[in-house]
Amino acid sequence: MQFQKTPGWLDWYQGPSQPRFQLPAGAVDAHCHVFGPGEEFPYAPERKYTPCDASKQQLFALRDRLGFARNVIVQATCHGADNRALVDALLHSDGKARGVATVRRSVSDEELQAMHDAGVRGVRFNFVKRLVDFTPKDELMETASRIARFGWHVVIYFEAVDLPELWDFFSGLPTTVVVDHMGRPDVSKPVDGPEFELFLKFMRDNPNVWSKVSCPERLSLTGPRALDGEQAAYRDVVPFARRVVEEFPDRVLWGTDWPHPNLKDHMPDDGLLVDFIPHIAPTAELQHQLLVANPMRLYWPEETQEA
Ligand SMILES: O=C(O)c1cc(C(=O)O)oc(=O)c1
């Protein structure tokens, strides 16, 4: 099937630089996506955008180029609840990828089991209105209790202004809960101001809540952009991500967010995004927790000592 990209769509950056920052052995890119290819895995009719293709082979080439050992592939909203592209990527990853799916209430236990066997370990609940239509909370809660039986967790994507309204629902989820992109703080506000304090309190009050300290390229208002060798990109995001890493070192994850859906301003060089990591996780110990120990505990528990 031929798809026409959303007007103004920015394609992912070709030929990313080799990072200067040496990733620890076994590092996991814990948030990335595959798009199609649309010819093989059509985009969902209910999608809010039509991306460029970004295949599993291209994702695995990026993984090797940047020096990651593994990926966590998150179902992108342009595929709705059709997880075929995701599952196909997991099955062709040589065990080096696990996934987070999107499911509807109608999903059967057999389908959940098949996804589990392919490497799915979580479901994503999305509250960002420009990306998805509304799903009633009772339906989400029912899904959460069903997937809990598989030992899966829930990934939530929301914007900072919506946290007060969603707080009780999130606090009632029966699994580990992983917040995408730090709950999208407005980084023009102070890091110790009420909005980000509320997010930190959410993590303090709920020890089952983790956060991805990802997407500085999405959150930054001042840049500079991760392009042309820039080693100190997205400076305005650093205090926010660093605060979360330092306060919750055993509940943070990092990911490239490749192929970076819906960026309007520029497309970052993923090698330079990796060079952002030591600014938010300044010690070797924090880097190891963020990039290896935490994602391994959540996605490959059978390979860690605690298993
Ligand atoms: O902010 C976004 O546009 C975005 C979209 C998606 C998706 O469409 O799944 O995923 C993300 O992690 C971020």
Side-chain angles (χ1 to χ4, degrees):
M1 207 184 301
Q2 285 292 336
F3 287 96
Q4 198 75 29
K5 286 186 280 187
T6 297
W9 186 265
L10 296 181
D11 293 0
W12 46 276
Y13 187 90
Q14 300 267 352
S17 57
Q18 189 83 56
R20 281 204 213 163
F21 172 58
Q22 169 88 49
L23 288 164
V28 182
D29 175 353
H31 186 97
C32 49
H33 311 283
V34 286
F35 296 154
E39 290 258 338
E40 199 180 349
F41 302 109
Y43 299 111
E46 72 273 24
R47 69 190 180 279
K48 306 289 184 206
Y49 63 85
T50 307
C52 63
D53 289 335
S55 70
K56 58 181 182 287
Q57 292 90 346
Q58 289 163 329
L59 174 63
F60 300 154
L62 180 78
R63 174 197 68 201
D64 296 345
R65 167 84 180 155
L66 300 180
F68 286 99
R70 306 179 196 225
N71 295 117
V72 177
I73 308 176
V74 176
Q75 173 75 350
T77 57
C78 56
H79 280 294
D82 176 352
N83 295 284
R84 281 177 296 170
L86 166 70
V87 165
D88 174 73
L90 300 180
L91 291 174
H92 287 88
S93 72
D94 264 335
K96 292 185 199 157
R98 291 228 153 133
V100 174
T102 297
V103 301
R104 305 260 179 263
R105 177 178 246 164
S106 54
V107 71
S108 68
D109 282 345
E110 291 70 28
E111 287 167 322
L112 290 175
Q113 183 64 54
M115 283 192 260
H116 185 86
D117 294 343
V120 172
R121 293 294 180 270
V123 290
R124 191 182 201 199
F125 295 168
N126 203 319
F127 302 88
V128 178
K129 295 175 191 82
R130 72 185 157 81
L131 293 173
V132 287
D133 296 324
F134 175 78
T135 306
K137 295 203 182 74
D138 64 332
E139 177 173 339
L140 296 175
M141 197 52 93
E142 181 186 304
T143 300
S145 47
R146 286 180 64 201
I147 62 95
R149 285 184 241 128
F150 288 84
W152 294 8
H153 60 272
V154 175
V155 173
I156 51 179
Y157 191 23
F158 62 92
E159 298 187 320
V161 288
D162 296 323
L163 179 57
E165 194 266 308
L166 292 163
W167 183 290
D168 289 343
F169 172 71
F170 290 160
S171 300
L173 288 168
T175 61
T176 294
V177 174
V178 181
V179 177
D180 275 340
H181 320 324
M182 294 187 286
R184 293 196 62 111
D186 175 350
V187 300
S188 69
K189 295 183 176 160
V191 67
D192 50 8
E195 188 182 273
F196 201 59
E197 235 345 282
L198 191 73
F199 179 68
L200 296 171
K201 179 173 162 45
F202 176 57
M203 289 195 68
R204 270 179 222 130
D205 287 4
N206 294 281
N208 61 324
V209 173
W210 297 36
S211 179
K212 292 179 197 161
V213 287
S214 43
C215 279
E217 74 285 5
R218 244 177 233 296
L219 301 173
S220 181
L221 299 167
T222 63
R225 302 160 164 188
L227 288 172
D228 305 324
E230 177 60 63
Q231 283 293 311
Y234 314 127
R235 284 198 190 94
D236 51 344
V237 184
V238 170
F240 291 81
R242 190 164 165 166
R243 173 69 69 87
V244 179
V245 169
E246 291 184 337
E247 184 166 348
F248 309 102
D250 57 350
R251 292 195 262 148
V252 283
L253 300 170
W254 192 87
T256 55
D257 193 36
W258 187 90
H260 309 286
N262 301 312
L263 289 186
K264 297 279 183 271
D265 179 60
H266 69 290
M267 190 46 67
D269 170 342
D270 294 278
L272 295 170
L273 272 186
V274 170
D275 289 336
F276 178 79
I277 297 172
H279 296 279
I280 62 168
T283 68
E285 192 185 344
L286 287 172
Q287 291 159 10
H288 188 268
Q289 286 177 288
L290 176 65
L291 297 163
V292 184
N294 298 342
M296 288 303 290
R297 210 163 76 244
L298 193 58
Y299 289 97
W300 283 270
E302 72 281 8
E303 290 188 37
T304 65
Q305 284 169 347
E306 289 137 291

